[in-house]
């Protein structure tokens, strides 16, 4: 279900946060379209944090620190990477207004990015919104194989360490299914969201001022598997 907002300028960062708390998020038809519309999917994609799956090959890549990983060091560059054409996606829903709104949320401390670097060059990453103990993944990109996957592993480790209980992916793709993503009906999602926005997830439970080593991220996930 969606409804078009014909006056996108009326959507403020505070309005955006209230929308997320209700299970609604904005999109644009394409990067050139100045307007936004609200979306509330009938079926929602989530990655259960306690059921996060990492292949042995990807775990080796993470552990060897093939890439350097930072958090909140290049938010605008990550959005630009997500908005750029991809081999499987020539157009994007990230328009100028989306960039402005999420940039404002980032400055407010509600939007975060995970950056993956290959020899000092941004090779992939993701960004999303943190509210309570929920994290809403917005988009990811990569220019080097496995870069976005490594970003997701580091994100989930950070969410687990910070006491989050919901990772919303909006929709489920075959790529996300490999990590354990599942679809849930809208009413069930709303119940999960109501629980998740209570309390406070600590996105900085793992440091943001320095690079997190792959072994450090994997240790968090392995400890969570043992606990569950």
């Amino acid at each position: 279900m969606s409804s078009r907002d014909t006056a996108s300028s009326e959507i403020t960062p505070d309005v955006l946060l209230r929308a997320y708390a209700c299970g609604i998020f904005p999109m644009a038809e394409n990067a050139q379209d100045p307007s936004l519309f609200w979306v509330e999917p009938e079926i929602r994609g989530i990655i259960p944090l306690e059921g996060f799956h990492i292949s042995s090959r990807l775990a080796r890549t993470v552990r060897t620190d093939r890439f350097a990983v930072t958090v909140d060091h290049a938010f605008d560059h990550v959005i630009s990477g997500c908005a750029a054409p991809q081999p499987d996606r020539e157009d994007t829903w990230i328009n100028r207004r989306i960039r402005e709104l999420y940039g404002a949320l980032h400055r407010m401390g509600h939007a975060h990015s995970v950056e993956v670097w290959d020899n000092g060059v941004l090779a992939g990453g993701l960004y999303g919104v943190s509210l309570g103990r929920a994290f809403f993944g917005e988009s990811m990109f990569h220019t080097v194989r496995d870069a976005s996957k490594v970003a997701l592993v580091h994100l989930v480790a950070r969410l687990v360490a910070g006491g989050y209980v919901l990772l919303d992916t909006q929709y489920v793709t075959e790529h996300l299914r490999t990590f354990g993503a599942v679809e849930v009906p809208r009413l069930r999602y709303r119940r999960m969201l109501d629980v998740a926005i209570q309390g406070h997830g600590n996105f900085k439970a793992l440091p943001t001022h320095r690079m997190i080593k792959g072994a450090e991220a994997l240790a968090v996930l392995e400890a969570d598997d043992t606990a569950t």
Side-chain angles (χ1 to χ4, degrees):
M1 182 178 71
S2 64
S3 59
R4 178 167 294 278
D5 169 53
T6 56
S8 297
S9 61
E10 295 179 2
I11 301 178
T12 66
D14 287 333
V15 167
L16 191 51
L17 289 176
R18 290 197 294 271
Y20 272 103
C22 296
I24 305 169
F25 57 89
M27 295 183 73
E29 288 290 351
N30 54 63
Q32 289 71 45
D33 188 345
S35 64
L36 303 178
F37 59 92
W38 294 113
V39 180
E40 185 183 17
E42 292 281 354
I43 301 296
R44 197 71 165 237
I46 65 167
I47 295 179
L49 294 174
E50 70 279 5
F52 187 65
H53 174 73
I54 310 172
S55 70
S56 57
R57 185 191 66 80
L58 179 58
R60 286 194 298 272
T61 300
V62 172
R63 194 178 299 278
T64 59
D65 292 318
R66 158 75 174 80
F67 300 102
V69 180
T70 58
V71 170
D72 287 344
H73 284 210
F75 185 86
D76 291 339
H77 289 86
V78 168
I79 288 192
S80 293
C82 292
Q86 299 284 310
D88 59 344
R89 185 193 66 202
E90 293 185 0
D91 205 351
T92 178
W93 51 268
I94 301 174
N95 66 1
R96 181 179 61 82
R97 187 62 182 141
I98 289 286
R99 294 186 190 218
E100 292 173 347
L101 284 168
Y102 288 86
L105 287 184
H106 175 61
R107 292 187 292 274
M108 292 167 62
H110 280 288
H112 301 282
S113 59
V114 178
E115 305 97 18
V116 177
W117 307 87
D118 183 19
N119 294 319
V121 177
L122 187 64
L126 58 81
Y127 77 97
V129 174
S130 176
L131 185 63
R133 294 182 296 160
F135 190 88
F136 307 87
E138 283 297 313
S139 188
M140 61 172 59
F141 84 100
H142 71 277
T143 59
V144 178
R145 182 187 180 192
D146 289 339
S148 62
K149 295 178 182 179
V150 170
L152 183 58
V153 171
H154 276 260
L155 171 68
V156 172
R158 182 169 296 276
L159 298 182
V160 169
Y164 287 75
V165 296
L166 177 64
L167 173 53
D168 176 352
T169 65
Q170 299 178 350
Y171 302 100
V172 171
T173 64
E174 290 306 312
H175 169 68
L176 292 177
R177 286 189 194 278
T178 65
F179 292 96
V182 297
E183 295 178 328
V184 295
R186 181 191 296 169
L187 290 180
R188 181 183 171 196
Y189 173 80
R190 284 180 176 174
R191 290 194 293 268
M192 297 171 70
L193 179 60
D194 287 344
V195 171
I197 60 175
Q198 305 302 316
H200 177 69
N202 181 10
F203 196 79
K204 296 184 178 181
L206 295 180
T208 59
H209 65 278
R210 64 169 174 84
M211 290 185 293
I212 300 298
K213 295 292 187 179
E216 187 176 354
L218 291 173
V220 171
L221 297 175
E222 290 164 1
D224 187 56
D225 285 341
T226 301
T228 56

